[in-house]
Amino acid sequence: MGNVIFLISAYSPIDNLFCLLSDLTDTTMLAAWSLPCCFTILLGLLELCRAQYEHLGYPHGYPQGYPEPEQEQYSAPELPPDTPRIQLRLAGDKRKHNEGRVEVFYDGEWGTVCDDDFSIHSAQVVCRELGYLEAVSWSPSSKYGKGEGRIWFDNVQCTGKEKTLALCTSNGIGVSDCKHTEDVGVVCSDKRIPGFKFINTMANNVQSLNIQVEDVRIRAILSSYRKRIPVTEGYVEVKDGGKWKQICDVEWTKHNSRVICGMFGFPGERKYNARVYKMFARRRKPSYWDYSVNCTGNEAHVSSCKLGHAVAAKANSTCGGGTPVVVSCVPGRAFSPTPMTGFRKAFRQEQTLVRLRGGAIVGEGRVEVLKNGEWGTICDDNWSLLSATVVCRELGFGSAKEALSGGRLGQGMGPVHMNEIECSGFEKSITECFFNKESLGCSHEEDAAVRCNVPAMGFQERLRLSGGRNPNEGRVEVLVERNGSQAWGTVCSDGWGTIEAMVVCRQLDLGFASNAFQETWYWPGEVSADPVVMSGVRCSGTEMSLSQCLHHGAHLTCPKGGGRNAAGVSCSETAPDLVLNPQIVEQTTYMEDRPMFMLQCAYEENCLSTTSSETPASSHRRLLRFSSQIHNNGQSDFRPKAERHSWVWHDCHSHYHSMEVFTHYDLLSLNGTKVAEGHKASFCLEDTECEEGIEKRYECANFGEQGITVGCWDTYRHDIDCQWIDITDIKPGDYIFQVVINPNYEVPESDYSNNFMKCRCRYDGHRIWMYSCHNGGSLSTETEESFPGLLNNQVIHR
């Protein structure tokens, strides 16, 4: 009975009765139990199971949260008898699972398609034949690498309505004068055709075909897992022909489980108690899919796995003595279910050698690696879904959803540490993969990035935007428990700002915040949702949902009330990212003794220390002067928050200033105490210079539009007013010089952690030196902690 006691501690009471029954089927156990006792237990078990698993019974057999959809009939296309029977797949150097080189299986051999005369209509036929809803684009000239074997189709011309590529006009199958440098590739939509059913026309070569099904899911079976978020254990089911079916586990391997778990955002898999599932399968006869699955374990998606042998089903309920496939996945620490602390122990702590920066949501961003105490980027040469998956798993996510190139999620700063990475897919860290240590020819325009699969946490279901002109804006409404039922309500706008808005947009998977609103009278939501249900919201910016931010809980305090004064947001797919060039600061720093009579404008703008009011006009002030070069490395232009009509004219500078507070200049003692600060009151934003091929768009002169274009930078020269710190009253010694850009988060950015810069500063009373200048987050934690001041720009948030 020891096994029974253990199972009762690990599973729910109903699940344990399954295990008890299993034990009772053992002849040794039966000998120890009287026959009436066995019948009593069996009858009790039957009634409990009927109640506990009521929703799993026929005709549907799906728990709550998995409603059986309306079936859409998908019938195999009726083809003329003389139509060549072909199968398609997407192969090559993919960066998403739904793209690749078009390959055709015919006459027992895989071959390719030439790009001559190929069009989006032809791509449409290919994608539809593979079960995707539509084609997004196509690429000539072997973008996904050169294929092998025959070139089966050349000069393909489709209308887009053909049921198979073989029905399109071409030179004839196998007739081509192309080379594999002309192999065509396509990108298909993420969405699959509803009711799609895989039709195998190659019965003798099924193992060479990729898996093509409408959808895949993990369905929680045991009561102890059904209410958990995320779902980590259950049946693996595929949707084929509009119906969910289980997979026979006769040929199932750990590699298959690894791929499935990765698809659903989990970095690894673990063992599970098979006895409970066997008992359940005996009671509810499964409906098996026609095929087994054959994965190598490094695939990012099951569609890249091969079909296994056809299942010899008997009465559609057995699979040669096997049972339905079950997987049990291990979530990353950020997604571990709170009731099961054992999950946290099962997953190793995330490595600190790799990080993601500049992404809008959790699990995406520019890939940066730590080498010799300094963070740097990865060049996108040979960057693939395989290498991206290693990064995702290393960080506690699942497999990679997409491998991005060309600085798509913003450009980094500092060195490029790795190039031409090649991974097997089983490495525990990207640093274990083979790579070229030389990064010659690589620039930050080629920075690699990833989008990882993350677990479905259900956050989007508890938040909505209401009343906006489009789905990306509106009044923020939260779903809460009230009087024993679920109700929607608003968020108090007191203290509501950009950081909170960023969390809302992230939770709704809408990208970055573009604005945070403290009045929403122009976005009337539902009247029933007007009452405030959340107040005192303060976020750090890293939260996955608004409920994870600090707030008042049940003790609501909101003098302004909800309704027209509720919090609102607008979201955008892209955002700017300002970064200061530390080398420019280090190279241009000098000290100047400037007479007071030449500082009249600066005095009026409070750019001098308070003791300057006592300084006679014939005396001077000692100024620490420097240039600052501020780059926009993001994905959209940096524009001032203030509307044009509210810009302020400054006679001293002879132009309008669009931001009252754009930077803070501080001099700190070695214990972090501020001893002097700059008072540059306001700024005009413009493009001083741009990278090659990018045109300037903003200038301060003639009341021009202000901002900083992506790929451009705004330089504030050392010789303009207020570009300094007044150090007249500072004693000689060692200090820390610190600059913070956009300190009040007036303008949303994709990454605030790199908005500050620090240098070591030595002043001997006659000369001054600036050295070891670096941006926030560019060095290892150990090195950064040796510098007083901000460790992260989030620290100064309100």
Side-chain angles (χ1 to χ4, degrees), residues 190-505:
D190 289 328
K191 295 182 179 180
R192 305 284 291 176
I193 299 173
F196 174 80
K197 182 174 179 59
F198 170 69
I199 305 296
N200 176 30
T201 61
M202 305 291 176
N204 297 327
N205 296 278
V206 65
Q207 287 86 1
S208 66
L209 303 179
N210 284 16
I211 291 176
Q212 301 171 25
V213 292
E214 183 183 344
D215 202 359
V216 183
R217 75 180 181 189
I218 300 175
R219 177 164 68 99
I221 298 298
L222 304 184
S223 58
S224 52
Y225 284 93
R226 287 201 304 272
K227 295 181 180 179
R228 287 190 183 173
I229 296 177
V231 173
T232 58
E233 183 175 304
Y235 280 174
V236 177
E237 298 185 335
V238 295
K239 194 176 187 182
D240 191 37
K243 296 181 180 180
W244 287 104
K245 296 183 178 181
Q246 291 83 43
I247 301 173
C248 177
D249 69 352
V250 170
E251 297 184 5
W252 191 261
T253 67
K254 289 183 178 180
H255 291 319
N256 297 346
S257 296
R258 188 172 191 264
V259 173
I260 294 295
C261 288
M263 280 179 58
F264 288 93
F266 305 113
E269 72 288 342
R270 64 171 192 165
K271 293 182 178 180
Y272 60 91
N273 190 296
R275 185 181 300 174
V276 182
Y277 290 98
K278 286 182 179 178
M279 290 302 303
F280 181 77
R282 290 174 192 169
R283 183 173 183 272
R284 294 297 183 198
K285 297 301 181 184
S287 175
Y288 287 108
W289 190 42
D290 298 335
Y291 301 94
S292 57
V293 177
N294 183 14
C295 303
T296 61
N298 61 4
E299 296 90 348
H301 194 275
V302 74
S303 62
S304 298
C305 297
K306 304 297 183 186
L307 280 175
H309 294 96
V311 175
K314 298 178 182 178
N316 197 35
S317 61
T318 62
C319 62
T323 57
V325 165
V326 175
V327 295
S328 184
C329 305
V330 181
R333 293 178 68 221
F335 305 97
S336 295
T338 49
M340 291 290 284
T341 55
F343 279 178
R344 295 181 180 273
K345 294 177 182 177
F347 180 67
R348 64 181 175 82
Q349 204 167 9
E350 286 88 349
Q351 296 291 309
T352 57
L353 296 178
V354 181
R355 69 183 185 186
L356 302 181
R357 285 289 183 269
I361 60 175
V362 175
E364 74 170 29
R366 179 178 62 253
V367 183
E368 297 186 351
V369 293
L370 185 64
K371 180 181 178 182
N372 298 327
E374 185 176 12
W375 288 98
T377 60
I378 293 177
C379 188
D380 63 8
D381 293 348
N382 296 344
W383 185 242
S384 66
L385 206 58
L386 202 61
S387 302
T389 291
V390 173
V391 169
C392 291
R393 290 186 186 274
E394 180 179 3
L395 292 172
F397 306 115
S399 53
K401 188 185 301 182
E402 185 175 3
L404 300 128
S405 58
R408 284 268 305 278
L409 296 185
Q411 297 181 22
M413 296 284 283
V416 177
H417 282 326
M418 303 175 76
N419 185 25
E420 297 177 353
I421 295 178
E422 294 181 14
C423 302
S424 69
F426 293 98
E427 294 86 353
K428 293 188 180 299
S429 172
I430 192 71
T431 58
E432 297 176 7
C433 299
F434 171 81
F435 65 94
N436 186 350
K437 298 179 181 179
E438 299 294 331
S439 300
L440 298 176
C442 283
S443 68
H444 286 297
E445 294 179 356
E446 301 172 83
D447 283 345
V450 297
R451 286 196 176 104
C452 304
N453 287 313
V454 297
M457 303 298 291
F459 291 141
Q460 296 182 20
E461 300 170 6
R462 306 196 65 83
L463 193 73
R464 70 185 184 189
L465 301 183
S466 180
R469 296 163 296 180
N470 58 65
N472 298 322
E473 67 178 19
R475 185 176 77 176
V476 179
E477 295 180 357
V478 183
L479 185 63
V480 296
E481 189 86 19
R482 191 164 59 187
N483 299 326
S485 61
Q486 302 281 329
W488 289 97
T490 56
V491 178
C492 184
S493 63
D494 285 350
W496 184 259
T498 301
I499 301 298
E500 289 73 32
M502 282 285 192
V503 175
V504 168
C505 295

Side-chain angles (χ1 to χ4, degrees), residues 124 127-128 130-135 188-194:
Q124 179 80 356
C127 290
R128 295 282 299 181
L130 287 168
Y132 296 101
L133 201 57
E134 60 184 354
C188 302
S189 66
D190 289 328
K191 295 182 179 180
R192 305 284 291 176
I193 299 173

Side-chain angles (χ1 to χ4, degrees), residues 580 584-585 588 626-630 665 714-717 723:
L580 189 68
I584 295 295
V585 174
T588 59
F626 54 91
S627 296
S628 61
Q629 189 181 91
I630 300 172
Y665 304 144
D714 191 357
T715 301
Y716 297 90
R717 287 175 51 87
Q723 188 63 32

Side-chain angles (χ1 to χ4, degrees), residues 388-691:
T389 291
V390 173
V391 169
C392 291
R393 290 186 186 274
E394 180 179 3
L395 292 172
F397 306 115
S399 53
K401 188 185 301 182
E402 185 175 3
L404 300 128
S405 58
R408 284 268 305 278
L409 296 185
Q411 297 181 22
M413 296 284 283
V416 177
H417 282 326
M418 303 175 76
N419 185 25
E420 297 177 353
I421 295 178
E422 294 181 14
C423 302
S424 69
F426 293 98
E427 294 86 353
K428 293 188 180 299
S429 172
I430 192 71
T431 58
E432 297 176 7
C433 299
F434 171 81
F435 65 94
N436 186 350
K437 298 179 181 179
E438 299 294 331
S439 300
L440 298 176
C442 283
S443 68
H444 286 297
E445 294 179 356
E446 301 172 83
D447 283 345
V450 297
R451 286 196 176 104
C452 304
N453 287 313
V454 297
M457 303 298 291
F459 291 141
Q460 296 182 20
E461 300 170 6
R462 306 196 65 83
L463 193 73
R464 70 185 184 189
L465 301 183
S466 180
R469 296 163 296 180
N470 58 65
N472 298 322
E473 67 178 19
R475 185 176 77 176
V476 179
E477 295 180 357
V478 183
L479 185 63
V480 296
E481 189 86 19
R482 191 164 59 187
N483 299 326
S485 61
Q486 302 281 329
W488 289 97
T490 56
V491 178
C492 184
S493 63
D494 285 350
W496 184 259
T498 301
I499 301 298
E500 289 73 32
M502 282 285 192
V503 175
V504 168
C505 295
R506 178 183 302 128
Q507 182 173 348
L508 293 173
D509 199 13
L510 294 176
F512 304 97
S514 55
N515 282 290
F517 301 96
Q518 294 191 352
E519 291 183 355
T520 50
W521 52 267
Y522 35 80
W523 288 334
E526 294 183 18
V527 177
S528 61
D530 279 353
V532 172
V533 296
M534 183 179 285
S535 66
V537 179
R538 295 291 184 275
C539 304
S540 69
T542 60
E543 297 86 355
M544 289 187 284
S545 72
L546 201 63
S547 61
Q548 294 176 351
C549 300
L550 293 174
H551 57 90
H552 291 156
H555 306 287
L556 299 175
T557 303
C558 189
K560 294 194 300 184
R564 60 186 292 121
N565 293 316
V569 302
S570 61
C571 304
S572 172
E573 291 184 3
T574 59
D577 182 22
L578 297 188
V579 183
L580 189 68
N581 187 330
Q583 286 73 36
I584 295 295
V585 174
E586 194 167 317
Q587 294 166 6
T588 59
T589 300
Y590 66 97
M591 191 173 64
E592 178 190 11
D593 289 340
R594 194 168 183 82
M596 273 299 295
F597 69 83
M598 298 179 65
L599 295 170
Q600 187 60 37
C601 275
Y603 179 75
E604 292 176 1
E605 292 188 13
N606 295 318
C607 293
L608 303 174
S609 66
T610 54
T611 59
S612 63
S613 60
E614 304 170 3
T615 304
S618 58
S619 185
H620 67 271
R621 302 296 296 180
R622 178 158 289 184
L623 308 176
L624 170 60
R625 309 198 70 150
F626 54 91
S627 296
S628 61
Q629 189 181 91
I630 300 172
H631 294 244
N632 183 0
N633 287 351
Q635 305 165 69
S636 62
D637 295 353
F638 185 94
R639 299 297 310 277
K641 180 181 179 180
E643 296 292 337
R644 192 182 181 93
H645 64 81
S646 64
W647 294 355
V648 179
W649 172 260
H650 281 252
D651 288 325
C652 293
H653 300 158
S654 299
H655 57 228
Y656 285 91
H657 286 181
S658 58
M659 291 190 70
E660 284 302 312
V661 180
F662 182 55
T663 59
H664 283 167
Y665 304 144
D666 298 312
L667 198 64
L668 312 174
S669 67
L670 295 184
N671 65 10
T673 304
K674 186 186 297 184
V675 295
E677 61 182 345
H679 293 278
K680 188 162 177 57
S682 53
F683 283 79
C684 172
L685 305 176
E686 67 178 1
D687 296 327
T688 306
E689 296 290 341
C690 298
E691 295 173 0

